[in-house]
């Protein structure tokens, strides 16, 4: 079943209220929860917290630009945005998927514990910071274009893949000598993996990471998520070569170990 | 150059006429101080390893042991204290930061001890709390300036028309402070949770998540969200009675939380929802919060995730500009502000921070309460005061200065047996509180501990009622911010001005 909400002029509380109502989730509903619902939000214009704390296997499509904290604390649903996104997408997200046909603002996937975020274009500063993995959950962020400073700061688990493409489509792939990450990549990182297409200059790295080469399971991971990216954004997978990636990992799970006296 | 510390801080005296070589002291000391010597058939003690927790002394069945501070470790010097010297030795050995536990023990002024409470004589009668109702129930949360009722004219059929903001209902104005599972043992968490639940008040999970066996007490839990977001998901947010965003802590303002990977084992890893063995790092800034607007965003994200059903608070350390900070937090939409004074406890903090950063909670309460009143927003937010509340007298003074309720951490742990040895960061707490070693945690019996906490809450509540009654007040509501009931003693004009109280002797 597909439902439509015209978001024009709605505040975020009203908008989220409508969504919850359709899904049978509002506290006033007598337990009549629906499964597998699809909702199209039209005319979204900066409403924050869309899908915040939402559970289930629903899909929400968004026309227009959603506001900050899209999919914060989300646990299950898929959200697809046909425009740019703003700050705080997937804040402390537990599971589900967010697909952004455009660029995003800062702190995408803050402390995300599971789920996947696909960004067609570029991400702002502090993308994927505090990401963690837990048991079967491995959060993943794939960025098509560039990423701002502090990519994967304090990262404790999960996967970040930076494709370093030009915006929209792979026909304008940058030379492999160029990566498109900012400074201080992975500073404070103590878990997880960052894959970056292109060479990374040492001075751009946080002091807690080391450069490695993708091999074995890394290659499978890259193929899987690059494949998904190309599917979602109709890009040409053949022009993104796994050999062009480097892999960044932390050199300690215990960065603070030697800081104190007896 | 080997210049290891050779001096011991404590002296252990064993009375040979009393010691029966039962070896209980050997078992009781997790620091391995006591050892049985077969050849001599006696117990010998290495005082250098002793941290002064007094466990062995308390447990010795014949009273043969005496632990005391060793006075002459260094030549007396009013400037260079033994602690200064000892820390320099340690740092010269290791090049590391000196860690400590619990609140600062430095001799900064304790303003509680310079404030006197009032009582009635002749002109306004005092009240006997044993005979007359005395209300100490407290509500934490945003209050409406005005509430309206619906009255259809029928007797007893008046309904509240205003939709009031979500509130926490406390049977006594005392909450247990945030202490995470990881910094304290499961048994200690269980005692706090069970006692809060039975007494009708709240405990705070700290930033370590809520252990699944404690879900039964979730209605009395304030669940904390820190920058590392450990154990935080939408279920956790919805499970608690309220949510607290942790920005800072009195013992270490500007410093984050950090549970070493060595302690992230088994259940702690499950409760924090992180793999075993990794450092659990909550840096001091939330890197998504650089302004009041950003804080407002997180507050509202949490409110949205919990459908505006729960109060959301913010915990900050009492620092020099605490009044404008609190005003910003109130304007960001928080329902309560927890202010933690610089004497507040901790499981681990750099000594230099603990002993030198922040301000006393007494001054912080007074200046925040005044600022919020001046700005006309005091009703928008409740104030929880923390950071070394040592008795019911401190509670009543805190409330008269302007707090809505207080949080007790150290006092609660003392009720559970803590002897303030300040070695919580070693993970070898001989009292079974700040440790995860099953041999040690077994020393704290959850039933006994719960009962002791209930007793403490009951005792302080009785004393609160006595003091209120003595001042002719029958509801704690009427005391809040009522500084006319306080007088300063031995304070200068500036201190009196900040506290907003008169000097003793002034009417
Ligand atoms: S550390 Fe505690 S238990 Fe051990 S000897 Fe010293 S006082 Fe006794
Ligand atoms: S909790 Fe334990 S280690 Fe910490 S001060 Fe108290 S007795 Fe010492």
């Amino acid at each position: 079943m597909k439902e439509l909400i015209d978001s024009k002029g709605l505040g975020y509380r009203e908008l989220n209220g409508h969504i919850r109502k359709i899904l049978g989730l509002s506290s006033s509903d007598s337990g009549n929860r629906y499964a597998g619902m699809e909702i199209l939000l039209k005319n979204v214009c900066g409403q924050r917290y869309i899908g915040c704390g939402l559970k289930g296997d629903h899909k929400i499509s968004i026309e227009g630009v959603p506001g900050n904290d899209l999919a914060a604390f989300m646990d299950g649903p898929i959200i697809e945005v046909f425009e740019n996104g703003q700050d705080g997408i997937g804040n402390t997200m537990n599971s589900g998927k967010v697909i952004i046909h455009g660029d995003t603002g800062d702190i995408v996937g803050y402390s995300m514990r599971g789920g996947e975020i696909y960004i067609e274009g570029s991400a702002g500063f502090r993308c994927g910071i505090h990401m963690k993995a837990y048991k079967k959950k491995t959060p993943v962020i794939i960025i098509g274009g560039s990423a701002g400073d502090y990519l994967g700061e304090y990262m404790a688990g999960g996967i970040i893949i930076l494709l370093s493409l030009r915006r929209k489509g792979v026909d304008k792939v940058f030379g492999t000598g160029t990566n498109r990450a900012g400074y201080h990549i992975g500073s404070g990182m103590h878990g997880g993996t960052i894959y970056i297409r292109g060479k990374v200059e040492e001075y751009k790295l946080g002091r807690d990471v080391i450069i490695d080469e993708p091999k074995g399971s890394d290659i499978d991971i890259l193929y899987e998520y690059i494949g998904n990216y190309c599917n979602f954004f109709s890009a040409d997978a053949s022009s993104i070569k796994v050999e062009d990636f480097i892999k960044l990992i932390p050199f300690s799970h215990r960065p603070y170990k030697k800081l104190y006296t007896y | 150059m080997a210049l290891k510390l050779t001096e011991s801080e404590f002296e252990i005296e064993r009375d040979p006429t009393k010691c029966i070589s039962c070896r209980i002291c050997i078992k009781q000391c997790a620091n391995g101080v006591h050892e049985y010597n077969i050849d001599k058939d006696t117990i010998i003690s290495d005082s250098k390893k002793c941290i002064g927790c007094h466990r062995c002394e308390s447990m010795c069945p014949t009273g043969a042991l005496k632990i005391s501070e060793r006075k002459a470790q260094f030549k007396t010097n009013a400037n260079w204290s033994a602690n200064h010297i000892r820390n320099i030795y340690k740092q010269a050995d290791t090049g590391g930061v000196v860690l400590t536990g619990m609140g600062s023990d430095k001799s900064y002024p304790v303003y509680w001890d310079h404030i006197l409470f009032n009582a009635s004589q002749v002109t306004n009668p005092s009240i006997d709390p044993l005979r007359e109702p005395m209300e100490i129930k407290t509500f934490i949360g945003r209050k409406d300036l005005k509430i309206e009722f619906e009255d259809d004219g029928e007797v007893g059929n008046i309904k509240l028309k205003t939709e009031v903001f979500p509130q926490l209902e406390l049977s006594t104005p005392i909450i247990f402070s945030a202490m995470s599972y990881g910094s304290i043992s499961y048994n200690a968490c269980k005692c706090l949770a069970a006692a809060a639940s039975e007494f009708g008040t709240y405990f705070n999970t700290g930033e370590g998540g809520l252990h699944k066996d404690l879900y039964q007490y979730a209605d009395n839990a304030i669940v904390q969200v820190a920058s590392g977001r450990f154990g935080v998901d939408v279920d956790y947010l919805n499970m608690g009675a309220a949510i607290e965003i942790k920005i800072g802590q009195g013992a270490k303002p500007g410093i984050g939380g950090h549970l070493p990977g060595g302690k992230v084992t088994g259940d702690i890893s499950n409760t924090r929802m992180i793999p075993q063995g990794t450092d659990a790092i909550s840096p001091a800034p939330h890197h998504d919060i650089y302004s009041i607007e950003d804080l407002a965003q997180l507050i509202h994200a949490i409110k949205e995730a919990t459908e505006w059903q729960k109060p959301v608070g913010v915990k900050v350390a009492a620092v020099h500009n605490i009044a404008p900070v609190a005003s910003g937090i109130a304007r960001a939409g928080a329902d309560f502000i927890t202010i933690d004074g610089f004497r507040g406890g901790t499981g681990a903090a750099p000594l230099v921070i603990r002993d030198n950063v922040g301000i006393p909670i007494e001054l912080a309460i007074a200046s925040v309460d005044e600022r919020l009143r001046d700005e006309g927003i005091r009703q928008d937010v409740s104030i929880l005061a923390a950071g070394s509340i040592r008795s019911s007298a401190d509670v009543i003074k805190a409330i008269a200065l302007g707090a809505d309720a207080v949080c007790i951490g150290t006092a609660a742990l003392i009720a559970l047996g803590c002897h303030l040895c300040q070695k919580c960061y070693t993970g070898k707490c001989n009292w079974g509180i700040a440790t995860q070693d099953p041999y040690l945690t077994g020393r704290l019996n959850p039933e006994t501990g719960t009962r002791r906490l209930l007793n403490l809450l009951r005792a302080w509540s009785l004393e609160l009622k006595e003091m209120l009654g003595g001042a002719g007040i029958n509801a704690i509501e009427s005391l809040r911010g009522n500084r006319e009931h306080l007088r300063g003693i031995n304070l200068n004009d500036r201190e009196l001005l900040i506290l907003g109280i008169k000097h003793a002797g002034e009417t």
Side-chain angles (χ1 to χ4, degrees):
Chain A
M1 221 171 43
K2 206 162 189 168
E3 298 277 340
L4 188 140
I5 301 174
D6 184 357
S7 316
K8 193 165 185 174
L10 293 181
Y12 67 82
R13 282 184 74 176
E14 277 172 292
L15 179 53
N16 272 337
H18 284 312
I19 295 174
R20 277 196 284 265
K21 192 137 193 71
I22 289 175
L23 304 180
L25 291 174
S26 28
S27 27
S28 53
D29 286 322
S30 47
N32 199 5
R33 292 177 174 14
Y34 302 104
M37 298 289 290
E38 277 189 42
I39 306 177
L40 172 65
L41 309 183
K42 276 187 171 298
N43 299 316
V44 169
C45 184
Q47 284 95 341
R48 293 181 170 189
Y49 317 118
I50 296 176
C52 176
L54 209 60
K55 297 183 138 216
D57 56 354
H58 314 290
K59 171 153 191 204
I60 299 176
S61 308
I62 298 179
E63 288 179 5
V65 179
N68 294 353
D69 272 342
L70 174 78
F73 305 108
M74 191 172 81
D75 195 5
I78 300 174
I79 296 186
E80 185 158 11
V81 180
F82 296 99
E83 251 297 347
N84 293 331
Q86 296 195 347
D87 295 344
I89 296 171
N91 177 357
T92 325
M93 181 170 146
N94 214 35
S95 69
K97 235 176 243 171
V98 181
I99 303 154
I100 310 277
H101 293 260
D103 299 327
T104 68
D106 300 338
I107 45 163
V108 174
Y110 183 111
S111 206
M112 186 185 170
R113 190 179 300 112
E116 294 160 24
I117 299 179
Y118 294 86
I119 302 163
E120 180 174 13
S122 298
F125 292 98
R126 296 208 142 94
C127 179
I129 75 175
H130 282 297
M131 262 169 94
K132 13 183 105 33
Y134 175 61
K135 296 200 169 155
K136 286 192 185 129
K137 287 190 196 304
T138 305
V140 184
I141 300 179
I142 298 111
I143 307 153
S146 61
D149 297 348
Y150 295 102
L151 179 69
E153 187 186 23
Y154 293 115
M155 193 170 168
I159 297 166
I160 297 178
I161 303 174
L162 181 68
L163 299 181
S164 305
L165 310 173
R166 273 196 208 266
R167 202 170 167 241
K168 302 270 181 197
V170 284
D171 46 333
K172 297 173 209 144
V173 175
F174 262 101
T176 49
T178 319
N179 79 82
R180 304 192 61 200
Y183 295 99
H184 314 296
I185 306 165
S187 50
M189 185 174 174
H190 52 288
T193 319
I194 303 177
Y195 301 98
I196 297 181
R197 191 174 147 273
K199 285 204 180 67
V200 176
E201 302 83 344
E202 292 259 345
Y203 66 85
K204 280 190 168 180
L205 297 181
R207 55 180 179 183
D208 308 282
V209 288
I210 44 177
I211 303 181
D212 200 0
E213 231 171 75
K215 46 188 169 275
S217 62
D218 297 319
I219 306 292
D220 300 339
I221 288 170
L222 284 170
Y223 273 128
E224 180 183 349
Y225 292 105
I226 292 170
N228 291 349
Y229 176 93
C230 292
N231 263 341
F232 290 139
F233 305 120
S234 323
D236 173 16
S238 65
S239 54
I240 309 171
K241 299 194 170 53
V242 290
E243 307 85 77
D244 294 342
F245 283 83
I246 57 136
K247 174 186 180 185
L248 297 178
I249 48 170
F251 57 60
S252 169
H253 296 289
R254 308 265 326 261
Y256 285 6
K257 210 167 162 186
K258 285 216 147 93
L259 217 54
Y260 306 107
T261 64
Y262 47 87
Chain B
M1 184 180 67
L3 203 111
K4 285 268 176 208
L5 266 188
T6 49
E7 304 287 343
S8 44
E9 275 179 72
F10 299 93
E11 228 162 347
I12 303 171
E13 285 170 63
R14 182 184 300 274
D15 184 342
T17 62
K18 287 186 184 161
C19 180
I20 51 170
S21 287
C22 67
R23 304 186 204 180
I24 285 178
C25 52
I26 300 177
K27 289 201 202 88
Q28 290 298 326
C29 181
N31 298 298
V33 171
H34 310 291
E35 221 175 283
Y36 180 67
N37 185 306
I38 298 185
D39 300 337
K40 293 192 187 135
D41 187 29
T42 54
I43 298 167
I44 44 174
S45 306
D46 179 1
S47 62
K48 258 178 274 165
K49 293 189 197 153
C50 176
I51 50 108
C53 74
H54 294 271
R55 175 81 191 183
C56 57
E57 188 183 68
S58 320
M59 293 294 143
C60 174
T62 60
L65 283 170
K66 191 175 148 220
I67 311 289
S68 50
E69 243 168 284
R70 191 158 163 265
K71 286 282 171 303
Q73 296 170 60
F74 303 100
K75 186 173 185 306
T76 314
N77 188 323
N79 184 35
W80 288 96
S81 72
N83 277 334
H84 284 116
I85 300 172
R86 210 179 296 121
N87 289 336
I88 288 178
Y89 283 156
K90 279 188 196 173
Q91 296 194 293
D93 277 346
T94 61
V97 172
V98 180
L99 269 188
T100 187
M102 283 297 164
S104 180
D105 53 12
K106 290 278 163 297
S107 60
Y108 292 109
V110 179
Y111 285 95
W112 299 132
D113 298 338
H114 291 268
I115 297 175
L116 296 167
F117 192 61
N118 197 25
S120 308
Q121 296 295 295
V122 186
T123 52
N124 48 344
S126 46
I127 305 168
D128 177 1
L130 297 179
R131 217 168 36 77
E132 292 186 53
M134 187 64 67
E135 190 58 89
I136 56 170
K137 186 183 273 191
T138 301
F139 290 90
I140 299 298
R142 180 177 183 153
K143 307 292 187 297
D144 292 275
L145 266 183
K146 187 171 113 190
I147 47 173
E148 285 183 296
F149 296 93
E150 257 167 43
D151 184 359
D152 60 4
E154 239 172 88
V155 179
N157 211 7
I158 297 177
K159 278 201 215 107
L160 193 61
K161 200 167 146 201
T162 317
E163 212 183 300
V164 295
F165 296 99
Q167 304 285 325
L168 291 180
E169 185 180 330
L170 282 55
S171 66
T172 190
I174 306 167
I175 288 176
F176 295 131
S177 301
M179 286 175 274
S180 70
Y181 173 45
S183 73
I184 57 171
S185 65
Y186 171 78
N187 282 359
C189 290
K190 177 154 190 190
C191 294
L192 294 162
S197 151
E198 194 170 332
F199 204 82
T201 183
Y202 297 84
F203 70 103
N204 188 318
T205 60
E207 56 172 299
L210 184 63
H211 191 288
K212 63 178 177 349
D213 294 348
L214 300 179
Y215 285 2
Q216 52 175 314
Y217 304 112
D219 287 347
N220 293 81
I222 298 175
V223 295
Q224 212 178 46
V225 173
S227 64
R229 303 278 206 275
F230 298 114
V232 178
D233 61 14
V234 65
D235 295 332
Y236 169 80
L237 297 177
N238 277 294
M239 198 157 30
I243 298 105
E244 182 178 78
I245 298 169
K246 181 192 175 184
I247 300 289
Q249 184 178 345
K252 42 180 171 178
I255 296 279
H258 164 222
L259 191 70
K263 291 188 188 175
V264 181
T265 54
D267 269 7
I268 294 179
S269 114
N270 290 339
T271 307
R272 296 200 173 216
M273 303 183 195
I274 49 168
Q276 301 204 8
T278 46
D279 277 2
I281 301 170
S282 270
H286 290 234
H287 280 295
D288 57 341
I289 302 177
Y290 284 177
S291 66
I292 292 296
E293 290 73 20
D294 291 345
L295 177 65
Q297 186 178 314
L298 181 59
I299 292 173
H300 289 97
I302 291 171
K303 283 186 183 260
E304 227 5 80
T306 54
E307 292 187 56
W308 298 74
Q309 299 298 309
K310 294 167 195 285
V312 177
V314 176
K315 177 176 181 176
V316 282
V319 288
H320 300 180
N321 61 340
I322 186 66
V325 166
S327 163
I329 293 171
R331 289 167 195 280
D335 300 287
F336 62 91
I337 308 176
T338 309
I339 307 172
D340 196 12
F342 85 131
R343 264 183 260 105
T346 176
L351 182 88
V352 65
I353 304 280
R354 187 196 74 172
D355 286 351
N356 297 286
V357 181
I359 64 167
I361 186 62
E362 302 89 317
L363 304 178
I365 301 170
S367 67
V368 167
D369 178 66
E370 189 167 305
R371 174 76 173 242
L372 298 182
R373 276 168 200 273
D374 285 352
E375 295 184 0
I377 54 172
R378 179 64 183 86
Q379 72 286 343
D380 289 352
V381 73
S382 294
I383 298 175
L384 300 179
S388 200
I389 302 287
R390 305 157 304 164
S391 67
S392 59
D394 294 354
V395 179
I396 209 151
K397 291 171 193 174
I399 291 171
L401 277 177
D404 286 86
V406 302
C407 306
I408 57 167
T410 306
L413 297 191
I414 292 175
L416 294 178
C418 165
H419 274 52
L420 279 181
C421 69
Q422 309 186 17
K423 295 285 178 189
C424 321
Y425 62 94
T426 62
K428 286 198 251 171
C429 174
N430 271 328
W431 294 91
I433 299 166
T435 176
Q436 306 302 330
D437 176 346
Y439 178 66
L440 300 174
T441 56
R443 294 177 181 181
L444 179 59
N445 177 297
E447 279 76 42
T448 321
T450 305
R451 203 174 58 239
R452 295 181 62 81
L453 288 170
L454 285 169
N455 282 342
L456 180 73
L457 289 172
R458 175 175 185 272
W460 284 19
S461 303
L462 286 174
E463 289 176 346
L464 285 177
K465 290 181 180 178
E466 290 281 356
M467 283 185 283
L468 278 178
I473 299 169
N474 65 3
I476 197 122
E477 286 277 301
S478 318
L479 181 71
R480 186 160 309 118
N482 192 343
R483 302 188 197 172
E484 203 29 63
H485 283 286
L486 302 175
R487 289 291 183 273
I489 182 121
N490 221 346
L491 294 176
N492 64 35
D493 283 353
R494 188 119 203 122
E495 291 167 316
L496 292 168
L497 185 79
I498 295 165
L499 288 166
I501 58 177
K502 294 175 189 159
H503 202 276
E506 287 181 281
T507 47

